[in-house]
mmCIF file of all heavy atoms in Angstrom:
data_model
loop_
_atom_site.group_PDB
_atom_site.id
_atom_site.type_symbol
_atom_site.label_atom_id
_atom_site.label_comp_id
_atom_site.label_asym_id
_atom_site.label_seq_id
_atom_site.Cartn_x
_atom_site.Cartn_y
_atom_site.Cartn_z
ATOM 1 N N LEU A 1 191.106 204.772 226.096
ATOM 2 C CA LEU A 1 191.970 205.045 227.250
ATOM 3 C C LEU A 1 192.975 203.921 227.479
ATOM 4 O O LEU A 1 194.123 204.170 227.877
ATOM 5 C CB LEU A 1 191.111 205.257 228.497
ATOM 6 C CG LEU A 1 190.313 206.568 228.530
ATOM 7 C CD1 LEU A 1 189.243 206.522 229.609
ATOM 8 C CD2 LEU A 1 191.242 207.766 228.740
ATOM 9 N N ILE A 2 192.578 202.682 227.229
ATOM 10 C CA ILE A 2 193.515 201.560 227.344
ATOM 11 C C ILE A 2 194.544 201.619 226.234
ATOM 12 O O ILE A 2 195.752 201.476 226.465
ATOM 13 C CB ILE A 2 192.753 200.220 227.319
ATOM 14 C CG1 ILE A 2 191.941 200.040 228.606
ATOM 15 C CG2 ILE A 2 193.731 199.046 227.152
ATOM 16 C CD1 ILE A 2 190.975 198.864 228.570
ATOM 17 N N ARG A 3 194.095 201.843 225.007
ATOM 18 C CA ARG A 3 195.024 201.908 223.873
ATOM 19 C C ARG A 3 196.052 203.023 224.043
ATOM 20 O O ARG A 3 197.214 202.876 223.672
ATOM 21 C CB ARG A 3 194.253 202.117 222.572
ATOM 22 C CG ARG A 3 193.507 200.884 222.067
ATOM 23 C CD ARG A 3 192.841 201.184 220.732
ATOM 24 N NE ARG A 3 193.831 201.712 219.792
ATOM 25 C CZ ARG A 3 193.543 202.567 218.800
ATOM 26 N NH1 ARG A 3 192.304 203.020 218.645
ATOM 27 N NH2 ARG A 3 194.493 202.984 217.995
ATOM 28 N N ALA A 4 195.619 204.154 224.615
ATOM 29 C CA ALA A 4 196.519 205.302 224.770
ATOM 30 C C ALA A 4 197.358 205.225 226.039
ATOM 31 O O ALA A 4 198.205 206.089 226.275
ATOM 32 C CB ALA A 4 195.717 206.598 224.758
ATOM 33 N N GLY A 5 197.132 204.212 226.873
ATOM 34 C CA GLY A 5 197.952 204.034 228.075
ATOM 35 C C GLY A 5 197.522 204.858 229.274
ATOM 36 O O GLY A 5 198.328 205.127 230.164
ATOM 37 N N TYR A 6 196.230 205.225 229.334
ATOM 38 C CA TYR A 6 195.735 206.020 230.461
ATOM 39 C C TYR A 6 195.259 205.144 231.613
ATOM 40 O O TYR A 6 195.350 205.537 232.770
ATOM 41 C CB TYR A 6 194.582 206.914 230.011
ATOM 42 C CG TYR A 6 195.010 208.128 229.230
ATOM 43 C CD1 TYR A 6 195.242 208.062 227.856
ATOM 44 C CD2 TYR A 6 195.174 209.359 229.855
ATOM 45 C CE1 TYR A 6 195.627 209.172 227.132
ATOM 46 C CE2 TYR A 6 195.557 210.482 229.151
ATOM 47 C CZ TYR A 6 195.792 210.383 227.786
ATOM 48 O OH TYR A 6 196.189 211.489 227.081
ATOM 49 N N ILE A 7 194.690 203.995 231.288
ATOM 50 C CA ILE A 7 194.123 203.122 232.318
ATOM 51 C C ILE A 7 194.491 201.671 232.027
ATOM 52 O O ILE A 7 194.900 201.324 230.913
ATOM 53 C CB ILE A 7 192.582 203.241 232.402
ATOM 54 C CG1 ILE A 7 191.932 202.778 231.087
ATOM 55 C CG2 ILE A 7 192.163 204.656 232.759
ATOM 56 C CD1 ILE A 7 190.401 202.724 231.137
ATOM 57 N N HIS A 8 194.341 200.833 233.058
ATOM 58 C CA HIS A 8 194.537 199.386 232.925
ATOM 59 C C HIS A 8 193.293 198.698 233.464
ATOM 60 O O HIS A 8 192.815 199.025 234.559
ATOM 61 C CB HIS A 8 195.757 198.924 233.725
ATOM 62 C CG HIS A 8 195.831 197.430 233.894
ATOM 63 N ND1 HIS A 8 196.233 196.595 232.884
ATOM 64 C CD2 HIS A 8 195.532 196.636 234.957
ATOM 65 C CE1 HIS A 8 196.190 195.343 233.312
ATOM 66 N NE2 HIS A 8 195.765 195.343 234.562
ATOM 67 N N LYS A 9 192.755 197.756 232.701
ATOM 68 C CA LYS A 9 191.562 197.040 233.130
ATOM 69 C C LYS A 9 191.959 195.876 234.029
ATOM 70 O O LYS A 9 192.635 194.940 233.594
ATOM 71 C CB LYS A 9 190.780 196.530 231.921
ATOM 72 C CG LYS A 9 189.454 195.873 232.289
ATOM 73 C CD LYS A 9 188.672 195.492 231.041
ATOM 74 C CE LYS A 9 187.300 194.935 231.411
ATOM 75 N NZ LYS A 9 186.499 194.619 230.215
ATOM 76 N N GLU A 10 191.528 195.970 235.287
ATOM 77 C CA GLU A 10 191.817 194.911 236.249
ATOM 78 C C GLU A 10 190.806 193.773 236.088
ATOM 79 O O GLU A 10 191.161 192.604 236.097
ATOM 80 C CB GLU A 10 191.760 195.473 237.663
ATOM 81 C CG GLU A 10 192.315 194.552 238.733
ATOM 82 C CD GLU A 10 193.816 194.371 238.625
ATOM 83 O OE1 GLU A 10 194.504 195.268 238.100
ATOM 84 O OE2 GLU A 10 194.308 193.312 239.052
ATOM 85 N N MET A 11 189.551 194.166 235.974
ATOM 86 C CA MET A 11 188.445 193.233 235.733
ATOM 87 C C MET A 11 187.261 194.073 235.299
ATOM 88 O O MET A 11 187.348 195.308 235.259
ATOM 89 C CB MET A 11 188.117 192.427 237.001
ATOM 90 C CG MET A 11 187.655 193.261 238.176
ATOM 91 S SD MET A 11 187.438 192.326 239.714
ATOM 92 C CE MET A 11 189.152 192.184 240.248
ATOM 93 N N ALA A 12 186.147 193.444 234.956
ATOM 94 C CA ALA A 12 184.977 194.192 234.498
ATOM 95 C C ALA A 12 184.554 195.220 235.544
ATOM 96 O O ALA A 12 184.306 194.874 236.699
ATOM 97 C CB ALA A 12 183.823 193.240 234.212
ATOM 98 N N GLY A 13 184.506 196.489 235.144
ATOM 99 C CA GLY A 13 184.073 197.555 236.039
ATOM 100 C C GLY A 13 185.121 198.032 237.017
ATOM 101 O O GLY A 13 184.821 198.860 237.883
ATOM 102 N N VAL A 14 186.363 197.553 236.889
ATOM 103 C CA VAL A 14 187.441 197.938 237.817
ATOM 104 C C VAL A 14 188.672 198.297 236.999
ATOM 105 O O VAL A 14 189.217 197.448 236.275
ATOM 106 C CB VAL A 14 187.774 196.808 238.807
ATOM 107 C CG1 VAL A 14 188.855 197.254 239.785
ATOM 108 C CG2 VAL A 14 186.519 196.364 239.561
ATOM 109 N N TYR A 15 189.127 199.549 237.124
ATOM 110 C CA TYR A 15 190.233 200.058 236.311
ATOM 111 C C TYR A 15 191.274 200.755 237.181
ATOM 112 O O TYR A 15 190.924 201.475 238.118
ATOM 113 C CB TYR A 15 189.716 201.050 235.259
ATOM 114 C CG TYR A 15 188.759 200.435 234.265
ATOM 115 C CD1 TYR A 15 187.388 200.370 234.549
ATOM 116 C CD2 TYR A 15 189.206 199.904 233.069
ATOM 117 C CE1 TYR A 15 186.499 199.803 233.661
ATOM 118 C CE2 TYR A 15 188.327 199.341 232.157
ATOM 119 C CZ TYR A 15 186.973 199.284 232.457
ATOM 120 O OH TYR A 15 186.097 198.710 231.568
ATOM 121 N N ALA A 16 192.538 200.537 236.843
ATOM 122 C CA ALA A 16 193.637 201.266 237.468
ATOM 123 C C ALA A 16 193.959 202.483 236.606
ATOM 124 O O ALA A 16 193.908 202.414 235.375
ATOM 125 C CB ALA A 16 194.873 200.369 237.595
ATOM 126 N N PHE A 17 194.295 203.595 237.248
ATOM 127 C CA PHE A 17 194.657 204.812 236.527
ATOM 128 C C PHE A 17 196.181 204.929 236.493
ATOM 129 O O PHE A 17 196.834 205.003 237.538
ATOM 130 C CB PHE A 17 194.004 206.034 237.181
ATOM 131 C CG PHE A 17 192.535 206.111 236.920
ATOM 132 C CD1 PHE A 17 191.641 205.353 237.672
ATOM 133 C CD2 PHE A 17 192.031 206.900 235.909
ATOM 134 C CE1 PHE A 17 190.273 205.387 237.419
ATOM 135 C CE2 PHE A 17 190.668 206.947 235.642
ATOM 136 C CZ PHE A 17 189.791 206.189 236.396
ATOM 137 N N LEU A 18 196.720 204.947 235.287
ATOM 138 C CA LEU A 18 198.158 205.004 235.056
ATOM 139 C C LEU A 18 198.605 206.463 235.035
ATOM 140 O O LEU A 18 197.775 207.367 235.192
ATOM 141 C CB LEU A 18 198.468 204.258 233.759
ATOM 142 C CG LEU A 18 197.938 202.805 233.739
ATOM 143 C CD1 LEU A 18 198.216 202.136 232.393
ATOM 144 C CD2 LEU A 18 198.508 201.981 234.885
ATOM 145 N N PRO A 19 199.912 206.750 234.879
ATOM 146 C CA PRO A 19 200.387 208.138 235.036
ATOM 147 C C PRO A 19 199.591 209.193 234.265
ATOM 148 O O PRO A 19 199.206 210.221 234.834
ATOM 149 C CB PRO A 19 201.835 208.058 234.559
ATOM 150 C CG PRO A 19 202.261 206.684 234.944
ATOM 151 C CD PRO A 19 201.053 205.819 234.697
ATOM 152 N N LEU A 20 199.338 208.964 232.982
ATOM 153 C CA LEU A 20 198.595 209.960 232.209
ATOM 154 C C LEU A 20 197.149 210.059 232.685
ATOM 155 O O LEU A 20 196.587 211.151 232.810
ATOM 156 C CB LEU A 20 198.628 209.613 230.718
ATOM 157 C CG LEU A 20 199.998 209.658 230.029
ATOM 158 C CD1 LEU A 20 199.857 209.251 228.556
ATOM 159 C CD2 LEU A 20 200.619 211.047 230.125
ATOM 160 N N GLY A 21 196.531 208.915 232.962
ATOM 161 C CA GLY A 21 195.143 208.912 233.422
ATOM 162 C C GLY A 21 194.968 209.580 234.764
ATOM 163 O O GLY A 21 193.982 210.293 235.001
ATOM 164 N N LEU A 22 195.926 209.356 235.656
ATOM 165 C CA LEU A 22 195.842 209.970 236.983
ATOM 166 C C LEU A 22 195.964 211.484 236.883
ATOM 167 O O LEU A 22 195.296 212.219 237.619
ATOM 168 C CB LEU A 22 196.929 209.408 237.898
ATOM 169 C CG LEU A 22 196.887 209.894 239.350
ATOM 170 C CD1 LEU A 22 195.567 209.528 240.016
ATOM 171 C CD2 LEU A 22 198.054 209.323 240.147
ATOM 172 N N ARG A 23 196.786 211.971 235.974
ATOM 173 C CA ARG A 23 196.915 213.421 235.799
ATOM 174 C C ARG A 23 195.583 214.033 235.353
ATOM 175 O O ARG A 23 195.186 215.109 235.806
ATOM 176 C CB ARG A 23 198.020 213.757 234.787
ATOM 177 C CG ARG A 23 199.426 213.508 235.311
ATOM 178 C CD ARG A 23 200.475 213.899 234.263
ATOM 179 N NE ARG A 23 200.556 215.334 234.102
ATOM 180 C CZ ARG A 23 201.467 216.124 234.690
ATOM 181 N NH1 ARG A 23 202.366 215.600 235.506
ATOM 182 N NH2 ARG A 23 201.479 217.423 234.475
ATOM 183 N N VAL A 24 194.878 213.352 234.452
ATOM 184 C CA VAL A 24 193.563 213.843 234.024
ATOM 185 C C VAL A 24 192.608 213.866 235.204
ATOM 186 O O VAL A 24 191.900 214.858 235.445
ATOM 187 C CB VAL A 24 192.986 212.958 232.895
ATOM 188 C CG1 VAL A 24 191.568 213.411 232.541
ATOM 189 C CG2 VAL A 24 193.876 213.013 231.662
ATOM 190 N N LEU A 25 192.574 212.782 235.949
ATOM 191 C CA LEU A 25 191.676 212.676 237.101
ATOM 192 C C LEU A 25 191.956 213.781 238.121
ATOM 193 O O LEU A 25 191.034 214.399 238.665
ATOM 194 C CB LEU A 25 191.846 211.299 237.742
ATOM 195 C CG LEU A 25 190.644 210.676 238.451
ATOM 196 C CD1 LEU A 25 189.450 210.564 237.502
ATOM 197 C CD2 LEU A 25 191.013 209.310 238.991
ATOM 198 N N LYS A 26 193.239 214.060 238.375
ATOM 199 C CA LYS A 26 193.616 215.103 239.333
ATOM 200 C C LYS A 26 193.251 216.493 238.818
ATOM 201 O O LYS A 26 192.908 217.386 239.606
ATOM 202 C CB LYS A 26 195.111 215.021 239.641
ATOM 203 C CG LYS A 26 195.501 213.821 240.496
ATOM 204 C CD LYS A 26 194.835 213.878 241.859
ATOM 205 C CE LYS A 26 195.230 212.732 242.751
ATOM 206 N NZ LYS A 26 194.533 212.762 244.064
ATOM 207 N N ASN A 27 193.323 216.701 237.504
ATOM 208 C CA ASN A 27 192.927 217.993 236.947
ATOM 209 C C ASN A 27 191.422 218.218 237.104
ATOM 210 O O ASN A 27 190.974 219.329 237.405
ATOM 211 C CB ASN A 27 193.319 218.074 235.470
ATOM 212 C CG ASN A 27 194.816 218.252 235.281
ATOM 213 O OD1 ASN A 27 195.530 218.682 236.190
ATOM 214 N ND2 ASN A 27 195.316 217.897 234.114
ATOM 215 N N ILE A 28 190.636 217.161 236.893
ATOM 216 C CA ILE A 28 189.188 217.258 237.116
ATOM 217 C C ILE A 28 188.911 217.544 238.587
ATOM 218 O O ILE A 28 188.082 218.395 238.941
ATOM 219 C CB ILE A 28 188.486 215.963 236.661
ATOM 220 C CG1 ILE A 28 188.615 215.786 235.144
ATOM 221 C CG2 ILE A 28 187.011 215.978 237.074
ATOM 222 C CD1 ILE A 28 188.123 214.448 234.626
ATOM 223 N N GLU A 29 189.625 216.850 239.450
ATOM 224 C CA GLU A 29 189.465 217.051 240.896
ATOM 225 C C GLU A 29 189.782 218.494 241.282
ATOM 226 O O GLU A 29 189.064 219.095 242.105
ATOM 227 C CB GLU A 29 190.384 216.091 241.638
ATOM 228 C CG GLU A 29 190.297 216.167 243.152
ATOM 229 C CD GLU A 29 191.225 215.176 243.843
ATOM 230 O OE1 GLU A 29 191.188 213.988 243.489
ATOM 231 O OE2 GLU A 29 192.001 215.605 244.720
ATOM 232 N N HIS A 30 190.819 219.058 240.698
ATOM 233 C CA HIS A 30 191.214 220.438 241.011
ATOM 234 C C HIS A 30 190.101 221.429 240.636
ATOM 235 O O HIS A 30 189.782 222.347 241.414
ATOM 236 C CB HIS A 30 192.505 220.790 240.271
ATOM 237 C CG HIS A 30 192.926 222.209 240.422
ATOM 238 N ND1 HIS A 30 193.449 222.728 241.589
ATOM 239 C CD2 HIS A 30 192.877 223.258 239.543
ATOM 240 C CE1 HIS A 30 193.718 224.004 241.443
ATOM 241 N NE2 HIS A 30 193.376 224.359 240.204
ATOM 242 N N ILE A 31 189.510 221.227 239.455
ATOM 243 C CA ILE A 31 188.427 222.110 239.009
ATOM 244 C C ILE A 31 187.245 222.030 239.969
ATOM 245 O O ILE A 31 186.678 223.043 240.387
ATOM 246 C CB ILE A 31 187.990 221.731 237.577
ATOM 247 C CG1 ILE A 31 189.074 222.137 236.571
ATOM 248 C CG2 ILE A 31 186.659 222.390 237.218
ATOM 249 C CD1 ILE A 31 188.848 221.590 235.172
ATOM 250 N N ILE A 32 186.866 220.812 240.334
ATOM 251 C CA ILE A 32 185.716 220.630 241.221
ATOM 252 C C ILE A 32 186.007 221.191 242.612
ATOM 253 O O ILE A 32 185.145 221.855 243.213
ATOM 254 C CB ILE A 32 185.343 219.138 241.307
ATOM 255 C CG1 ILE A 32 184.874 218.632 239.937
ATOM 256 C CG2 ILE A 32 184.256 218.914 242.360
ATOM 257 C CD1 ILE A 32 184.615 217.145 239.880
ATOM 258 N N ARG A 33 187.216 220.965 243.112
ATOM 259 C CA ARG A 33 187.567 221.472 244.448
ATOM 260 C C ARG A 33 187.473 223.001 244.483
ATOM 261 O O ARG A 33 186.950 223.585 245.452
ATOM 262 C CB ARG A 33 188.975 221.025 244.843
ATOM 263 C CG ARG A 33 189.388 221.561 246.236
ATOM 264 C CD ARG A 33 190.794 221.154 246.614
ATOM 265 N NE ARG A 33 190.864 219.718 246.886
ATOM 266 C CZ ARG A 33 191.437 218.832 246.092
ATOM 267 N NH1 ARG A 33 191.997 219.232 244.943
ATOM 268 N NH2 ARG A 33 191.457 217.556 246.406
ATOM 269 N N GLU A 34 187.978 223.654 243.466
ATOM 270 C CA GLU A 34 187.895 225.123 243.420
ATOM 271 C C GLU A 34 186.444 225.595 243.505
ATOM 272 O O GLU A 34 186.134 226.548 244.233
ATOM 273 C CB GLU A 34 188.530 225.639 242.122
ATOM 274 C CG GLU A 34 190.032 225.710 242.151
ATOM 275 C CD GLU A 34 190.586 226.484 240.973
ATOM 276 O OE1 GLU A 34 189.921 226.517 239.901
ATOM 277 O OE2 GLU A 34 191.692 227.050 241.091
ATOM 278 N N GLU A 35 185.556 224.942 242.772
ATOM 279 C CA GLU A 35 184.156 225.361 242.760
ATOM 280 C C GLU A 35 183.457 225.039 244.083
ATOM 281 O O GLU A 35 182.635 225.827 244.561
ATOM 282 C CB GLU A 35 183.417 224.701 241.592
ATOM 283 C CG GLU A 35 183.842 225.208 240.224
ATOM 284 C CD GLU A 35 183.522 226.667 239.996
ATOM 285 O OE1 GLU A 35 182.640 227.207 240.704
ATOM 286 O OE2 GLU A 35 184.149 227.290 239.119
ATOM 287 N N MET A 36 183.782 223.912 244.680
ATOM 288 C CA MET A 36 183.167 223.563 245.966
ATOM 289 C C MET A 36 183.643 224.501 247.075
ATOM 290 O O MET A 36 182.861 224.924 247.925
ATOM 291 C CB MET A 36 183.479 222.113 246.337
ATOM 292 C CG MET A 36 182.862 221.067 245.402
ATOM 293 S SD MET A 36 181.047 221.125 245.297
ATOM 294 C CE MET A 36 180.802 222.107 243.784
ATOM 295 N N ASN A 37 184.925 224.821 247.064
ATOM 296 C CA ASN A 37 185.449 225.765 248.063
ATOM 297 C C ASN A 37 184.831 227.147 247.885
ATOM 298 O O ASN A 37 184.568 227.852 248.866
ATOM 299 C CB ASN A 37 186.968 225.853 247.966
ATOM 300 C CG ASN A 37 187.664 224.590 248.450
ATOM 301 O OD1 ASN A 37 187.043 223.725 249.073
ATOM 302 N ND2 ASN A 37 188.950 224.464 248.167
ATOM 303 N N ALA A 38 184.595 227.533 246.632
ATOM 304 C CA ALA A 38 184.062 228.869 246.352
ATOM 305 C C ALA A 38 182.651 229.055 246.894
ATOM 306 O O ALA A 38 182.229 230.188 247.169
ATOM 307 C CB ALA A 38 184.079 229.134 244.844
#
């Protein structure tokens, strides 16, 4: 994920989500939200 530019390592166990990574995270969130609402 770091090599592909999805995340940035701030420190051990702490990561920032960059544009591509945030899109993945939001897509996962969308799937889960649909199922929880259902």
Side-chain angles (χ1 to χ4, degrees):
L1 289 166
I2 290 170
R3 286 183 53 209
Y6 283 84
I7 63 174
H8 167 77
K9 185 175 184 177
E10 192 68 26
M11 62 186 79
V14 182
Y15 297 87
F17 287 81
L18 305 177
L20 295 179
L22 184 60
R23 288 181 71 98
V24 175
L25 210 57
K26 288 298 182 182
N27 287 340
I28 294 172
E29 181 179 309
H30 175 73
I31 289 170
I32 295 174
R33 179 182 290 108
E34 280 192 333
E35 291 296 339
M36 294 301 97
N37 290 348

